[in-house]
Each structure stands twice: as structure tokens, then as C-alpha cells.
Amino acid sequence: MLLQFSALPEAARDVTSIHGQAESGVISAVLWLKLGVETVGAAIIALGILSAGWLLVKALLKRETADFTAIRLTLARYLALALEFQLGADILSTAIAPSWEQIGKLGAIAVIRTALNYFLSREMREERHEATPEDHVVQRADAD
């Protein structure tokens, strides 16, 4: 391989080198973007945990612990959004010359995350339409 490369004219070697550098730059940019998208997803989950945890603490301190559906829905909204970001990061990971094994893993992950997101969204929609007794707890906790 080295002999073949050195046998190329100098102009061809420069193009190959530039092509290799460009490809390396694209791969690096995609990997950084993937890391950024994963970080945003993780940060959304952390915010959701903090938000739902804060509402839970407020409800417990006020001894209003009848039903925590609204608090669960608060966390579910954050999780649903984070799942979208995590799926985007998974798609980015296969953007660079994926193997069949990587494509298979992405397919499995995509199906699992899409199913989770679907059922989470469906539950949120159903719960939103029902009047839950603790809605006033969350509203008062937010007002405080």
C-alpha cells in the first residue's frame, strides 16, 4: 500500500491527503456533535429529576401526598424530550461509515426509545385529560 501511494504523482498525493484530512475533520465534527447532543439529553433528564424532585419535596412538606400523577407527568415530559435527543445522538453515531452491526444496534435502540417515547406520550396525554386531585398541589407548589 505504501509503495502504491508513493507511486502516485505529487498532485494525487496532495488530493488524497486533503481528502483524508477532510474526512477526518468531518468524523471529528460529527463525534463532537454527537457528544453535545448526548450531553443536552442528559442535562434535560437532570433538570427533570430536579424539577420533579422539588415538586415532590414541596408536596411532602405540605403533607399533600394523595396522588403524585402530576409530579410523574412533570418528570415524564422531561424524559420524553430527552429520549428525542438521545435518539438523535444514536443516529449521528451511525452517520460515519456504519457497520451492519452498528446499524442493527441503532435499529434496536431506535425501536426501544421510540416505543418508550410513544407510551410515555400516550400516558401523559391520557393523564392530562383526566382531572387529577393533585393538580392543585403542583399549582400551589409552583406558586410558592
Side-chain angles (χ1 to χ4, degrees):
M1 182 71 176
L2 185 59
L3 292 175
Q4 292 172 343
F5 181 73
S6 62
L8 291 173
E10 188 171 330
R13 283 190 299 237
D14 289 342
V15 170
T16 303
S17 174
I18 291 170
H19 173 73
Q21 290 175 354
E23 186 176 8
S24 176
V26 168
I27 290 170
S28 180
V30 169
L31 291 175
W32 278 106
L33 181 59
K34 176 184 178 268
L35 179 62
V37 172
E38 286 176 336
T39 302
V40 169
I44 291 170
I45 292 171
L47 286 172
I49 290 169
L50 291 173
S51 178
W54 180 248
L55 292 173
L56 176 64
V57 167
K58 284 183 166 185
L60 290 173
L61 290 175
K62 293 182 178 186
R63 301 191 190 283
E64 296 175 348
T65 59
D67 188 13
F68 295 112
T69 304
I71 297 170
R72 282 183 47 244
L73 287 175
T74 298
L75 180 58
R77 285 184 198 99
Y78 283 94
L79 292 177
L81 180 60
L83 279 170
E84 296 292 339
F85 277 91
Q86 296 298 330
L87 183 58
D90 291 334
I91 291 169
L92 281 172
S93 69
T94 61
I96 309 162
S99 67
W100 283 108
E101 183 180 344
Q102 289 174 317
I103 292 171
K105 286 179 183 177
L106 172 66
I109 290 169
V111 167
I112 291 167
R113 289 190 175 165
T114 302
L116 281 171
N117 202 10
Y118 170 78
F119 289 113
L120 203 55
S121 297
R122 191 176 79 180
E123 183 179 351
M124 286 189 304
R125 201 171 32 254
E126 289 171 2
E127 293 291 337
R128 201 176 304 128
H129 288 117
E130 295 176 13
T132 57
E134 77 284 354
D135 282 341
H136 70 281
V137 172
V138 174
Q139 289 171 354
R140 276 194 279 157
D142 284 339
D144 291 341

